[in-house]
């Protein structure tokens, strides 16, 4: 089948979703207001609460939530065939992911930028909040540790990406100063930033950085992991406008340029999908497509991590409530386009079915390398860009997204640690909380040896934990909408589906961990499963209480949503 068909249908659905469905959500469900004053204004502190241009904030939000996951998930899931992956990415983006991200962002900024974990305590009770925080902490730990390993592997396997990866930090620092201190025109800053990034890619392609076998007594992978954690700690403590926000913004622009290059190559070459629509010749050991498809492809369809980012950093920077639609829903569309591009690159970027099957010899054998290999081949054929430079562009794109997700993850995990400290009566400074996060992350990453492979130790739990987190976030949004007497079906239907698939996937994994005697993963899976079921039950009970209680009214003059919540009404 010609891949151009998937491009036209997929892009058409996502663009239509933004212009039609997100407009419906914004006007009828979330009822976004032009006059409401967001926490970025009422609580502005120049560090976390900063009113931000919606295009800059979109760049921060998009690249923070994207990471490597919308590449890794689809690149692995196409082992079941391109059709199931395509359907889940397109339908999931339009009707679930955009709605979820908008909902988390909207709910948080209406409550002083509070995290989804704090909102769970407010709307379903302290017990639910405590269990929620356990899931969030483990989810962020998985992201931070695993992405450190993913980035280090890419820097070692594609040394041409080293210079643009670290040079992007200097570009981001310049952009932050140009926007907020020098007050430069945003389009000019954007063009200069993108040109600088792609110039760095050209330089990197000519001057690859290959580390010696031992640097300061560390292997190349271990050295990059340590440097990444040091960088993430510093970046997470700096005011968002200095590095985090401009870095994410310029990365978002370079991603769209990179996607433009990739999609232009698709249009010119119109490559044939060599992989089957439904793969009936699965390698031994490949798990059942249902429910694992729906937890393997998380980012790019729906991801609980998005809700953590939306309520952790993005909600504190929202200039206008109406920007929620562009930042939240269009952020999900951007990720959906990346996932769609990944599906095409990993199923049409090989000459024959035999070449494709040589890569997909087992489950989890795809991933970023398959995306870089297949995508660079298409770009080289379609646009004449040398294979080495094409690989550098795609690898840098993956590294920069993973890095922005990692530093945002450390920042968010610092918030969670501080919140846990408040619960137990200990006030932790940002530096102390960050130190705890780094120590735990580094300890996990090197727990399996000096190569840092321990960072992937609990990664098998990411898919189910991430989707459970998404379902629980939707449950909080559902309670809020019920208390406001607004329609809940656009939230409730996806909530039931995602929760069912995630719980099913977690139960399937319990059997796998038992069979392989992976006792740590088994114990963590049990903890996450029990916590998620408990929170879900309490959320549904809270929804029922909200339905029976008097309706709550939100006013644009409120700096925080009314304190009369279903939990408090019960007491």
């Amino acid at each position: 089948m010609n891949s151009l068909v998937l491009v036209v249908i997929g892009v058409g659905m996502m663009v239509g979703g933004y212009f039609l469905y997100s407009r419906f959500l914004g006007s009828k469900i979330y009822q976004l207001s032009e006059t409401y004053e967001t926490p970025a204004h009422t609580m502005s502190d120049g560090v976390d609460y900063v009113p931000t241009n919606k295009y800059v904030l979109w760049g921060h939000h998009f690249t923070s939530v994207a990471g490597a996951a919308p590449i890794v998930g689809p690149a692995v899931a196409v082992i079941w065939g391109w059709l199931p992956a395509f359907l889940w990415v397109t339908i999931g983006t339009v009707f679930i992911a955009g709605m979820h991200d908008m909902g988390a962002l909207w709910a948080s900024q209406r409550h002083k930028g509070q995290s989804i974990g704090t909102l769970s305590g407010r709307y379903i009770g302290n017990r639910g909040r405590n269990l929620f925080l356990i899931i969030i902490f483990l989810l962020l730990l998985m992201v931070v540790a695993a992405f450190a390993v993913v980035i280090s592997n890419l820097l070692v396997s594609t040394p041409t990406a080293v210079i643009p990866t670290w040079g992007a930090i200097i570009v981001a620092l310049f952009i932050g100063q140009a926007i907020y201190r020098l007050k430069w025109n945003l389009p000019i800053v954007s063009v200069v930033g993108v040109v600088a990034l792609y110039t760095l890619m050209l330089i990197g392609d000519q001057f690859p950085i290959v580390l010696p076998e031992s640097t300061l007594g560390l292997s190349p992978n271990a050295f990059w992991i340590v440097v990444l954690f040091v960088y993430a700690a510093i970046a997470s403590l700096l005011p968002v406008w200095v590095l985090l926000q401009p870095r994410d913004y310029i990365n978002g622009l370079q991603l769209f340029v990179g996607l433009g290059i990739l999609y232009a190559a698709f249009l010119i070459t119109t490559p044939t999908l060599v992989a089957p629509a439904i793969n009936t010749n699965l390698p031994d050991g490949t798990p059942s497509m249902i429910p694992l498809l729906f937890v393997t492809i998380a980012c790019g369809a729906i991801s609980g991590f998005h809700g953590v980012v939306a309520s952790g950093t993005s909600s504190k920077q929202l200039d206008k409530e109406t920007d929620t639609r562009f930042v939240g829903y269009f952020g999900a569309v951007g990720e959906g386009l990346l996932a769609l591009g990944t599906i095409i690159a990993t199923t049409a970027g090989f000459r024959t079915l035999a070449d494709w099957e040589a890569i997909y010899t087992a489950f989890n054998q795809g991933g970023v390398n398959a995306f870089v290999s297949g995508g660079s081949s298409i770009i080289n054929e379609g646009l004449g860009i040398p294979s080495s430079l094409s690989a550098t562009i795609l690898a840098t794109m993956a590294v920069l997204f993973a890095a922005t997700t990692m530093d945002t993850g450390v920042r968010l995990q610092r918030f969670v640690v501080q919140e846990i400290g408040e619960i137990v009566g200990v006030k932790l400074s940002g530096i102390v909380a960050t130190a705890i996060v780094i120590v735990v992350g580094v300890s996990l990453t090197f727990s399996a040896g000096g190569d840092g492979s321990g960072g992937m130790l609990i990664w098998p739990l990411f898919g189910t934990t991430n989707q459970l987190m998404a379902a629980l976030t939707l449950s909080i949004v559902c309670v809020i909408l019920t208390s406001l007497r607004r329609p809940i079906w656009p939230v409730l239907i996806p909530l039931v589906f995602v929760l069912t698939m995630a719980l099913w996937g977690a139960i399937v994994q319990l059997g796998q961990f038992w069979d392989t005697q992976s006792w740590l993963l088994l114990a963590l899976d049990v903890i996450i499963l029990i916590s998620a079921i408990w929170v879900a039950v309490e959320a549904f009970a809270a929804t029922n209480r909200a339905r029976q209680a008097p309706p709550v009214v939100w006013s644009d003059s409120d700096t925080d949503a009314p304190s009369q919540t279903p939990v408090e009404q019960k007491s």
Side-chain angles (χ1 to χ4, degrees):
M1 180 177 176
N2 194 310
S3 60
L4 190 59
V5 175
L6 297 193
V7 172
V8 172
I9 295 175
V11 174
M13 286 181 64
M14 293 181 200
V15 172
Y18 174 70
F19 283 106
L20 299 176
Y21 193 57
S22 76
R23 191 182 300 276
F24 163 76
L25 293 172
S27 62
K28 302 297 183 182
I29 308 301
Y30 302 128
Q31 297 182 17
L32 306 178
S33 171
E34 281 278 3
T35 59
Y36 176 72
E37 195 171 11
T38 65
H41 292 280
T42 60
M43 302 175 66
S44 179
D45 62 6
V47 178
D48 295 313
Y49 290 83
V50 180
T52 305
N53 177 285
K54 70 177 183 179
Y55 299 105
V56 176
L57 181 56
W58 171 83
H60 155 70
H61 178 78
F62 171 42
T63 53
S64 293
V65 300
I71 297 175
V72 174
V76 170
V78 293
I79 196 169
W80 289 300
W82 59 259
L83 182 59
F86 173 76
L87 291 175
W88 179 227
V89 163
T90 51
I91 296 173
T93 295
V94 172
F95 294 106
I96 306 180
M99 174 274 298
H100 167 274
D101 293 13
M102 277 183 72
L105 186 55
W106 162 78
S108 176
Q109 61 88 33
R110 276 280 177 167
H111 294 82
K112 296 184 176 180
Q114 293 176 341
S115 71
I116 200 69
T118 301
L119 292 182
S120 66
R122 183 165 183 162
Y123 281 94
I124 66 175
N126 291 334
R127 184 170 51 233
R129 176 198 61 190
N130 297 342
L131 294 170
F132 220 114
L133 288 174
I134 291 174
I135 298 173
I136 294 173
F137 182 85
L138 289 174
L139 177 63
L140 291 172
L141 180 61
M142 294 173 201
V143 168
V144 170
F147 277 23
V149 176
V150 169
I151 297 168
S152 68
N153 287 342
L154 278 170
L155 292 177
V156 171
S157 65
T158 314
T160 54
V162 173
I163 288 178
T165 293
W166 297 108
I169 297 175
I170 299 174
V171 175
L173 290 170
F174 164 77
I175 289 175
Q177 295 297 318
I179 293 175
Y180 289 100
R181 288 283 176 84
L182 303 177
K183 306 297 182 182
W184 283 15
N185 181 273
L186 183 60
I188 294 176
V189 175
S190 303
V191 171
V192 171
V194 170
V195 170
L197 268 184
Y198 277 86
T199 299
L200 287 170
M201 292 181 198
L202 290 170
I203 295 172
D205 187 54
Q206 295 300 313
F207 301 98
I209 305 296
V210 180
L211 294 180
E213 291 186 6
S214 178
T215 304
L216 301 177
L218 299 172
S219 68
N221 289 80
F223 176 80
W224 286 130
I225 288 171
V226 171
V227 172
L228 284 163
F229 271 106
V230 171
Y231 155 75
I234 296 171
S236 70
L237 289 169
L238 290 172
V240 289
W241 66 268
V242 173
L243 178 59
L244 186 69
Q245 196 185 84
R247 174 184 168 91
D248 292 354
Y249 171 63
I250 200 65
N251 283 348
L253 291 180
Q254 71 89 16
L255 169 69
F256 258 74
V257 173
L259 279 177
I261 292 172
L262 188 60
Y263 275 89
F266 292 157
L267 294 174
I268 292 172
T269 60
T270 62
T272 300
L273 301 169
V274 299
I278 303 291
N279 190 9
T280 57
N281 186 30
L282 293 169
D284 293 339
T286 302
S288 171
M289 181 176 68
I290 299 177
L292 270 299
L293 170 73
F294 302 102
V295 297
T296 300
I297 301 179
C299 302
I302 181 173
S303 167
F305 181 66
H306 292 202
V308 179
V309 174
S311 66
T313 60
S314 301
S315 63
K316 298 176 177 64
Q317 303 169 61
L318 202 67
D319 184 36
K320 298 178 181 178
E321 187 176 57
T322 49
D323 292 347
T324 300
R325 181 169 162 247
F326 183 79
V327 175
Y329 196 98
F330 196 63
V333 167
E335 199 162 69
L337 290 173
L338 178 56
L340 175 61
T342 300
I343 291 171
I344 296 172
T346 54
T347 56
F350 302 90
R351 293 190 179 279
T352 65
L353 175 60
D355 291 337
W356 182 80
E357 289 179 334
I359 296 293
Y360 287 87
T361 56
F363 188 66
N364 282 334
Q365 283 298 104
V368 176
N369 289 335
F371 167 73
V372 172
S373 175
S376 61
S377 174
I378 294 173
I379 291 173
N380 172 246
E381 181 181 349
L383 302 178
I385 298 176
S387 296
S388 173
L389 181 56
S390 300
T392 299
I393 292 172
L394 295 180
T396 302
M397 199 164 73
V399 168
L400 290 181
F401 279 135
T404 53
T405 300
M406 182 183 175
D407 56 35
T408 300
V410 170
R411 195 181 196 96
L412 293 170
Q413 201 167 18
R414 184 241 298 175
F415 293 155
V416 172
V417 169
Q418 288 177 305
E419 192 169 347
I420 293 173
E422 291 176 2
I423 292 173
V424 299
V426 178
K427 187 173 180 60
L428 300 173
S429 68
I431 294 176
V432 172
T434 300
I436 293 173
V437 170
I438 296 301
V439 168
V440 173
V442 171
S443 298
L444 173 64
T445 306
F446 289 103
S447 62
D451 60 351
S453 58
M456 303 303 292
L457 190 64
I458 60 175
W459 183 251
L461 286 170
F462 173 76
T464 52
T465 305
N466 194 31
Q467 299 306 73
L468 285 171
M469 183 72 221
L472 299 179
T473 298
L474 289 178
S475 71
I476 303 302
V477 174
C478 198
V479 174
I480 296 174
L481 290 174
T482 301
S483 69
L484 293 169
R485 297 298 187 271
R486 296 180 189 173
I488 65 170
W489 61 265
V491 177
L492 184 60
I493 294 173
L495 161 60
V496 172
F497 178 78
V498 173
L499 183 61
T500 300
M501 291 298 129
L503 289 175
W504 187 357
I507 293 170
V508 169
Q509 283 189 318
L510 279 178
Q512 294 173 347
F513 297 150
W514 177 271
D515 291 340
T516 58
Q517 298 184 352
S518 303
W519 306 124
L520 174 62
L521 294 177
L522 180 69
L524 289 175
D525 198 7
V526 169
I527 292 171
I528 293 168
L529 192 57
I530 292 174
S531 299
I533 293 173
W534 200 330
V535 173
V537 170
E538 296 213 18
F540 281 115
T543 302
N544 187 54
R545 292 195 299 270
R547 186 180 298 111
Q548 298 173 359
V552 173
V553 178
W554 286 3
S555 169
D556 281 357
S557 62
D558 293 329
T559 57
D560 186 18
S563 60
Q564 184 188 23
T565 66
V567 171
E568 291 165 339
Q569 289 165 3
K570 182 186 179 185
S571 60

